[in-house]
């Protein structure tokens, strides 16, 4: 199947700093990308949906000014956690889907730890 | 968006067949049913997808009754490496549609014992 990568795989940062996570579709063009977060032993929670070249659509309760999403090209989406705090520590997972295709391909996830 | 209900956890033994059932009573006409597997600290991995009746691939089978209000993932002869969380998802695959996002339910934590 298609491959989606995330970088970095894990990051540790100090409280108050901003962290950028990249999501890339390596062998297909992703018209739509999704960002999820997952707490330990919990299910994935959808944060936002982004379509290439347009603004992301955020789920209810997700602060768009805190979690900045950019989907500037068909192969790259970035999630920036601004002014990170310890409660933002989580596992962030992206997924990508090409136009008109049923399957959604997931990245390996990024473990964010905010000290 | 159709909500799904699955058992929270299941236990089985190596070599057994495992069937995980998912309820999705308000599934819409355009919705497909997709199952994903997730290991700890990894992204979900696609297992199988179907719309109706039966779908089979090299790792699993998916049974969907005529009313499509439920579906059953069947894993033949499980091994220890099948220990994971399994998610049943229902969604409209039409790209660009506001209904095309996929929402994860709680999933089923499957534990396989020797």
């Amino acid at each position: 199947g298609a491959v989606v990568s995330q970088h970095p795989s894990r990051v540790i940062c100090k409280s108050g700093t901003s962290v950028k996570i990249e999501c890339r579709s390596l062998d297909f063009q992703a018209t739509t990308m999704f960002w999820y977060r997952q707490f330990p032993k919990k299910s994935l929670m959808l944060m936002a949906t982004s379509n290439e070249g347009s603004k992301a659509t955020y789920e209810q309760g997700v602060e768009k000014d805190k979690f900045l999403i950019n989907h500037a090209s068909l192969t790259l989406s970035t999630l920036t956690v601004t002014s990170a705090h310890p409660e933002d520590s989580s596992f962030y997972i992206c997924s990508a889907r090409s136009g008109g295709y049923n399957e959604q391909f997931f990245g390996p996830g990024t473990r964010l730890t905010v000290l | 968006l159709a909500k799904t209900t699955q058992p929270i956890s299941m236990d089985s033994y190596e070599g057994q067949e495992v069937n995980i059932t998912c309820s999705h009573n308000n599934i819409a006409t355009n919705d497909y049913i997709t199952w994903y597997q997730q290991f700890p600290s990894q992204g979900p991995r696609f297992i199988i997808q179907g719309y109706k009746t039966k779908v089979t691939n090299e790792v699993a089978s998916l049974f969907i009754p005529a009313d499509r209000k439920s579906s059953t993932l069947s894993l033949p002869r499980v091994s220890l490496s099948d220990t994971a969380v399994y998610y049943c998802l229902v969604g409209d695959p039409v790209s660009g549609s506001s209904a095309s996002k996929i929402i994860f339910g709680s999933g089923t934590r499957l534990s396989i014992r020797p």
Side-chain angles (χ1 to χ4, degrees):
Chain A
V3 178
V4 175
S5 69
Q6 284 185 237
H7 177 79
S9 58
R10 57 178 63 234
V11 55
I12 301 173
C13 69
K14 293 182 179 180
S15 184
T17 62
S18 294
V19 175
K20 179 184 286 187
I21 302 171
E22 292 185 349
C23 175
R24 293 182 184 274
S25 56
L26 299 185
D27 49 4
F28 69 101
Q29 293 185 327
T31 53
T32 306
M33 286 186 168
F34 305 85
W35 286 96
Y36 296 82
R37 65 188 296 181
Q38 185 176 33
F39 292 107
K41 297 193 180 299
K42 298 295 185 181
S43 183
L44 286 78
M45 184 193 79
L46 180 66
M47 300 175 67
T49 302
S50 72
N51 292 297
E52 186 266 338
S54 61
K55 289 184 178 180
T57 302
Y58 290 81
E59 294 300 303
Q60 190 172 11
V62 178
E63 299 176 58
K64 60 180 65 176
D65 294 330
K66 180 168 183 64
F67 298 100
L68 302 179
I69 292 173
N70 184 281
H71 190 167
S73 77
L74 286 172
T75 59
L76 173 64
S77 176
T78 60
L79 167 67
T80 300
V81 183
T82 62
S83 187
H85 288 92
E87 57 265 30
D88 297 323
S89 297
S90 187
F91 192 52
Y92 291 86
I93 305 170
C94 73
S95 69
R97 185 172 63 206
S98 62
Y101 191 62
N102 295 348
E103 189 175 339
Q104 200 170 309
F105 301 97
F106 287 83
T110 296
R111 174 77 58 193
L112 170 63
T113 303
V114 184
L115 303 177
Chain B
L1 297 172
K3 180 181 177 181
T4 61
T5 303
Q6 305 172 233
I8 294 175
S9 64
M10 292 182 67
D11 296 322
S12 188
Y13 293 91
E14 281 191 295
Q16 298 295 307
E17 178 184 80
V18 172
N19 296 309
I20 307 174
T21 298
C22 177
S23 297
H24 27 81
N25 292 319
N26 58 339
I27 187 170
T29 302
N30 293 333
D31 286 343
Y32 278 68
I33 301 156
T34 310
W35 285 80
Y36 286 87
Q37 175 193 56
Q38 186 183 27
F39 297 112
S41 296
Q42 294 186 28
R45 183 177 75 101
F46 173 88
I47 299 176
I48 198 167
Q49 183 181 72
Y51 184 80
K52 61 180 180 180
T53 62
K54 176 184 175 182
V55 180
T56 297
N57 61 23
E58 62 276 10
V59 298
S61 294
L62 178 60
F63 299 92
I64 306 168
D67 65 6
R68 304 201 326 124
K69 294 183 183 298
S70 67
S71 60
T72 299
L73 173 71
S74 181
L75 305 172
R77 298 183 60 80
V78 293
S79 63
L80 295 176
S81 62
D82 292 316
T83 294
V85 178
Y86 292 81
Y87 293 98
C88 162
L89 300 145
V90 176
D92 181 348
V94 175
S95 178
S97 164
S98 61
S100 63
K101 59 186 178 183
I102 294 179
I103 304 297
F104 281 78
S106 58
T108 297
R109 191 170 297 274
L110 176 65
S111 298
I112 305 301
R113 302 175 181 178

